[in-house]
């Protein structure tokens, strides 16, 4: 793993550049093009983070706004493309689902799995509709007007599950006049994309917009067992359709309906085996003087030396390595099929002193996946079964157990059976639907802005998840160890006293003549459950301008009350369905509030302070053991955030510089951790409330028009996460007390330091408006841990992700005159230096192995398009 100090060396130049313009609170993280009428000024950015249109610079919230032009220039397709485009914001790909994303904002990540019992901490919105599950987002088809990335809790206006922040995609409304936009692109790995949007214009009072999008590419890793490159790891093929209709209501209102559909057939990124255990005993980890239970790992290394691979080519590629492989030999072709349908209805009217807006959304998501999670080809090895336990042992030794000579002789001639088995593979069938509606009223006077609203949300999801794992058993220890053999002898009919005497006498001979010391236990299990949730809320917020709107002082207060109810029914959590399904239900309620103050200290410069609270609903972990048939729930999370910031536009609006500092206190943080006391041969996780955590950070953003030809942009984010209480340690002594392990806890899926700089260039060509444009950017993200501690994840420190240093670049021509329209052509490259960074890991704990997922290698291509 690369040293942190070395990886941060290139940061010195970037940090210096970023400090030239630290702009965190409300920076438009776009290389904004100068206004056409004045090449020396930045454009004004309008956002709706407070349920009304406002200049980004006066909103007392840390926001990064990305315009439609920037979305198009950077090829932003969905939330995955937003990583590091705002300070303290990182996004990682899901493991089994092509559309899912793990979003971290200010050190607070969304869940690493798509379980329906655990809500997100960073909300995703599409045209005002809350997307409960990231796997159901599918944004390829949206004609984006802008993207708003809100950092910090948004518990008043956006509600629950926004403790870290939120990301809002806002689409362009249908045009009343004819518009056409089409583009197509091609790149390496046979990547192809095409998109066309047509607005026919207003017909019979209705404006409309229709979009079709297609995107595909071959895999970025070659699987020798998959002859079709279009199905190799990293491959993707998606089709999307969107239709929007909008009609005016009188002279001040409108009604808009949007339908979207997406189908994505993909082979998720490859899981690569990086570490296997030799079964060495792990001593308890001592925390604050108390030895704690740790996961003991299976001896996978020894077992793999004796297996036979179905494809001989797979043997060498099964050796664990941290070095990225562009060729693998997986027996299971991982696949993920996602299909989403969405309906969005917006009705609004402006009655002068009162504005009314109604938004409703109904979305459906289906996901079917098959995933290889051991990173190797099919192999055959010795199998453990109780019926073959004494196969192959000397006849004389078996007779010492009281077996008849004939029986002992027969068993001695039998071989230990073999099995073709993976270390871990899984498949999944998820079905999800959600409905939401929101009604808001707003208005303003000479010195007051206000908004009141009500919100309702319902969702239901089901998951059918078969898992197939192989647990390596050291039979010399687990079966033929002196103490273990006592139980074996008792099973053969020896009285307890005799078994205790004979076991230490016979066991050494069995260990010495064991025909297969390491044997694989096949464990087949199924997780099958249904979960539902319902949420209702009312909210209000007001901004008061003492002395009028030109006084320079703004005071804001708001509050929201939320009622949540959740339920889960589990039909299976193991090898066989339950005779009686297990169920659980829970209800939560919470009041969240915020107080904000802003003051204009000079023209174009204002400061603000904010105290806000956030709330993430409690829920259920589908793998938790039941108590008397009742599924236990975990507690809600709550957060209080303190933030101060500076927003400025300087030098006749040539420079925009925003800065923010924050301190968050988190209570009952819910974390997913592997279980240390799970049944032998299984891998499971559970959700636990960590207790108290603090987050202290700073963010800065800068955009500067250097000349008419060059624009600079940069951002810098740092967050220090400290666990104050994490009650998750089990004493090795067997005491019932749960130990606080805060001193060894790690922040998972979080980069303490993020930074990005970019230089944009534009040069006029001729007098028709055509331009040559270019951009080069550098992004840095600290490596991430995947689990919060090493008690149950032995490889957690070893598998910390790589520090990322990414260079992207593009050149092109735009505004090319084309009749009544214009065209553009662009060449681009991502990950120019072709880095192979480990970005996410899985530690299988007691199963004895771990591995990870790597970012895409260098990709490049070209895109051409027209607009009329």
């Amino acid at each position: 793993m690369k040293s942190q100090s070395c990886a941060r060396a290139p940061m010195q130049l970037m940090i210096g550049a970023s400090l030239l313009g630290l702009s965190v609170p409300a920076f438009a993280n776009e290389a904004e093009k100068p206004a056409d009428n004045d090449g020396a000024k930045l454009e004004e950015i309008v956002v709706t983070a407070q349920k009304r249109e406002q200049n980004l610079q006066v909103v007392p919230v840390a926001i990064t706004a990305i315009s439609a032009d920037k979305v198009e220039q950077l090829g932003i397709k969905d939330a995955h493309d937003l990583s590091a485009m705002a300070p303290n914001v990182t996004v990682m790909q899901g493991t089994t689902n092509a559309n899912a994303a793990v979003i971290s904002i200010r050190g607070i990540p969304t869940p690493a799995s798509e379980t329906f019992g655990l809500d997100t901490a960073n909300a995703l919105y599409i045209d005002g509709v809350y997307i409960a599950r990231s796997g159901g987002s599918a944004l390829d088809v949206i004609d984006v007007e802008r993207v708003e990335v809100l950092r910090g809790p948004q518990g008043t206006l956006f509600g629950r599950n926004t403790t870290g922040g939120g990301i809002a995609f806002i689409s362009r409304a249908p045009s009343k006049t004819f518009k056409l936009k089409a583009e197509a692109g091609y790149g390496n790995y046979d990547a192809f994309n095409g998109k066309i949007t047509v607005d026919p214009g207003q017909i019979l009072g209705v404006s409309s917009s229709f979009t079709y999008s297609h995107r595909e590419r071959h895999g970025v890793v070659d699987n020798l067992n998959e002859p079709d490159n279009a199905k190799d790891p990293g491959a993707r093929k998606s089709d999307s359709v969107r239709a929007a209709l909008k009609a005016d209501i009188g002279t001040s209102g409108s009604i808009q309906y949007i339908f979207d559909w997406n189908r994505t057939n993909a082979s998720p990124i490859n899981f690569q085996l990086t570490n296997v255990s030799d079964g060495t005993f792990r001593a308890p980890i001592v925390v604050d003087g108390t030895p704690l239970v740790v996961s003991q790992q299976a001896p996978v290394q020894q077992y793999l030396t004796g297996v036979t691979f179905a494809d001989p080519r797979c043997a060498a590629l099964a050796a664990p390595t941290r070095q990225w492989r562009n060729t693998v030999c997986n027996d299971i072709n991982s696949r993920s099929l996602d299909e989403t349908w969405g309906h969005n209805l917006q009705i609004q009217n402006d009655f002068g002193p009162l504005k009314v807006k109604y938004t409703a959304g109904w979305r459906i998501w289906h996901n079917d996946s098959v995933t290889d999670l051991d990173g190797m080809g099919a192999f055959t090895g010795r199998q453990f079964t109780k019926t073959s336990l004494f196969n192959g042992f000397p006849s004389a030794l078996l007779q010492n157990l009281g077996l008849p000579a004939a029986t002992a002789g027969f068993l001695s001639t039998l071989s230990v059976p073999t099995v073709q088995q993976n270390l871990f593979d899984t498949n999944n069938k998820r079905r999800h639907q959600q409905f939401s509606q929101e009604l808001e009223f707003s208005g303003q006077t000479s010195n007051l802005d206000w908004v009141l609203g009500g919100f309702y949300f319902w969702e239901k999801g089901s998951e059918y998840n078969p898992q197939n794992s192989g647990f390596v058993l050291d039979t010399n220890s687990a079966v033929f160890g002196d103490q273990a053999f006592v139980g074996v002898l008792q099973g053969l009919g020896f009285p307890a006293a005799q078994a205790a005497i004979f076991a230490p006498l016979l066991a050494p001979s069995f260990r010495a003549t064991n025909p297969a010391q390491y044997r694989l236990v096949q464990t087949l299990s199924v997780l099958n459950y249904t979960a539902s949730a319902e949420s209702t809320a009312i909210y209000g917020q007001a901004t008061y301008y003492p002395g009028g709107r030109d006084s320079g002082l703004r005071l804001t207060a708001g509050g929201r009350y939320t009622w949540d109810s959740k339920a889960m029914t589990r039909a299976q959590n193991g090898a066989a369905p339950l005779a009686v399904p297990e169920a659980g239900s829970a209800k939560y309620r919470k009041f969240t509030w915020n107080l904000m103050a802003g003051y204009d200290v000079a023209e174009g410069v204002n400061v603000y302070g904010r105290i806000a609270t956030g709330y993430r609903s409690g829920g259920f972990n589908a793998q938790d053991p039941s108590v008397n048939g009742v599924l236990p729930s975990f507690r809600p999370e709550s957060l209080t955030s303190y933030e101060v910031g500076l927003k400025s536009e300087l030098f006749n609006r040539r420079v925009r510089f925003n800065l923010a500092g924050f301190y968050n206190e988190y209570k009952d943080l819910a974390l997913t951790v592997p279980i240390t006391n799970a049944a032998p041969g299984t891998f499971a996780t559970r959700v636990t409330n960590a207790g108290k955590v603090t987050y202290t950070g700073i963010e800065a953003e800068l955009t500067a028009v250097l000349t008419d030809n060059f624009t600079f942009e940069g951002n810098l984010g740092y967050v220090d996460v400290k666990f104050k209480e994490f009650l998750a340690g089990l004493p090795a002594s067997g005491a019932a007390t749960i130990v606080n392990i805060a001193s060894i806890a790690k922040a998972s899926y979080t980069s303490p330091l993020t930074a990005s700089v970019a230089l944009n260039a534009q040069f006029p060509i001729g007098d028709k408006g055509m331009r040559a444009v270019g951009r080069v950017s550098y992004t840095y993200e600290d490596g991430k841990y995947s689990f919060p501690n090493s008690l149950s994840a032995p490889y957690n420190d070893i598998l910390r992700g790589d520090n990322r240093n990414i260079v992207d670049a593009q050149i092109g021509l735009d505004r090319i005159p084309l009749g009544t329209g214009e065209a553009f052509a662009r060449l681009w490259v991502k990950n120019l230096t072709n880095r192979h960074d480990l970005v996410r890991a899985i530690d299988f704990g007691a199963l004895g192995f771990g591995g990870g997922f790597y970012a895409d290698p260098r990709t490049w291509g070209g895109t051409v398009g027209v607009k009329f």
Side-chain angles (χ1 to χ4, degrees), residues 317-346:
L317 293 173
T321 179
R322 177 70 180 244
Q323 184 175 355
W324 177 76
R325 284 190 169 120
N326 61 4
T327 302
V328 297
C329 198
N330 299 335
D331 60 312
I332 295 178
N333 180 34
S334 296
R335 303 298 297 167
S336 174
L337 176 63
D338 292 273
E339 197 162 10
T340 62
W341 300 261
H343 303 268
N344 180 299
L345 177 65
Q346 300 176 38

Side-chain angles (χ1 to χ4, degrees), residues 243-319:
L245 305 174
K246 185 176 183 180
D248 292 334
I249 301 175
T251 58
S252 60
S254 66
I255 179 171
Q256 178 173 267
Y257 167 74
I258 303 171
F259 168 79
D260 66 87
W261 170 84
N262 170 270
R263 187 178 191 271
T264 300
N265 194 349
S267 178
I269 52 178
N270 182 64
F271 174 85
Q272 181 173 312
L273 186 68
T274 60
N275 298 86
V276 294
S277 170
D278 63 3
T280 299
F281 175 77
R282 294 184 68 216
I285 293 178
V286 179
V287 177
D288 298 331
T290 302
L292 301 180
V293 174
V294 297
S295 293
Q296 298 299 332
Q297 298 172 286
V300 174
Q301 177 179 308
Q302 291 91 321
Y303 182 78
L304 290 180
T305 60
V307 304
T308 302
F309 285 89
D311 184 339
R313 299 176 299 173
C314 295
L317 293 173

Side-chain angles (χ1 to χ4, degrees), residues 354-632:
L354 174 69
K355 294 181 180 180
V356 181
K357 182 178 181 180
Y358 173 78
T359 303
W362 178 38
R363 298 194 67 82
I364 300 172
W365 170 46
H366 290 176
N367 167 250
D368 295 277
S369 65
V370 178
T371 311
D372 183 325
L373 287 176
D374 64 6
M376 63 180 72
F379 60 81
T380 300
R382 300 297 181 90
Q383 182 184 18
F384 176 85
T385 66
K386 291 183 179 180
T387 57
S388 63
L389 184 60
F390 295 112
N391 287 11
F393 281 97
S395 175
L397 185 59
L398 294 177
Q399 291 180 55
N400 289 334
L401 301 178
L403 298 179
T407 302
F410 175 72
L411 289 175
S412 68
T413 64
L414 299 180
S415 300
V416 176
T418 60
V419 63
Q420 182 171 302
Q421 168 69 32
N422 293 319
L423 292 181
F424 199 93
D425 63 78
T426 181
N427 59 77
N428 221 311
K429 181 179 181 179
R430 297 185 180 99
R431 298 292 182 265
H432 179 263
Q433 56 182 320
Q434 66 169 72
F435 171 76
S436 64
Q437 57 182 345
E438 183 172 6
L439 180 63
E440 60 186 72
F441 304 89
S442 62
Q444 64 180 42
T445 65
S446 60
N447 60 359
L448 183 70
D449 294 329
W450 60 271
V451 60
L452 296 173
F455 174 80
Y456 173 79
F457 173 81
W458 170 88
E459 71 170 326
K460 184 177 182 179
S462 64
E463 181 175 9
Y464 183 79
N465 175 212
Q467 295 185 357
N468 174 26
S469 62
F471 177 69
V472 178
L473 192 68
D474 181 352
T475 58
N476 276 5
S477 173
V479 179
F480 303 116
D482 289 355
Q483 292 299 318
F485 205 53
V486 172
V488 174
L489 293 180
Q490 287 180 313
L492 293 173
F494 281 69
Q498 290 186 12
I501 296 172
F502 285 106
L505 299 177
L506 294 175
S509 297
F510 277 91
R511 292 195 293 269
T513 58
N514 192 344
Q517 178 178 348
Y518 303 103
R519 310 186 192 188
L520 199 68
V521 180
Q522 184 183 45
T523 304
L524 301 175
S525 65
V526 172
L527 177 63
N528 183 13
Y529 70 92
T530 299
S532 61
E534 196 170 16
S535 180
T536 306
I538 55 174
Y539 62 86
Q541 180 170 292
T543 299
Y544 177 61
Y545 302 84
R549 293 180 179 270
D550 296 330
S551 67
L553 179 62
R554 300 170 292 278
L555 303 175
T556 301
R560 185 183 189 107
Y561 204 96
T562 302
W563 296 265
D564 288 338
S565 62
K566 293 196 168 188
M568 178 176 285
T569 301
R570 187 168 65 194
Q572 187 171 351
N573 187 30
L578 297 168
V580 178
E582 301 165 330
S585 62
K587 292 186 177 181
Y588 314 98
R589 60 179 60 189
K590 185 70 175 180
F591 177 71
T592 52
W593 52 269
N594 73 73
L595 298 173
M596 298 180 286
Y599 181 69
D600 298 331
V601 297
E603 182 178 356
V605 180
N606 70 81
V607 294
Y608 72 89
R610 180 174 187 253
I611 304 175
T613 61
Y615 155 72
R616 179 160 72 149
S617 180
F620 298 88
N621 177 29
Q623 293 181 305
D624 275 354
S626 64
V627 179
N628 297 323
V630 177
L631 298 176

Side-chain angles (χ1 to χ4, degrees), residues 31-42:
E32 302 160 68
K33 68 179 188 296
D36 290 339
N37 62 346
D38 190 345
K41 288 186 178 181
L42 294 167

Side-chain angles (χ1 to χ4, degrees), residues 647-665:
K647 295 189 176 186
S648 63
E649 288 183 337
L650 309 170
F651 307 113
N652 194 26
R653 222 166 79 192
R654 293 172 61 93
V655 174
R656 179 176 293 128
F657 170 66
N658 296 335
L659 177 69
F662 61 89
Y663 174 77
N664 296 343
E665 292 183 347

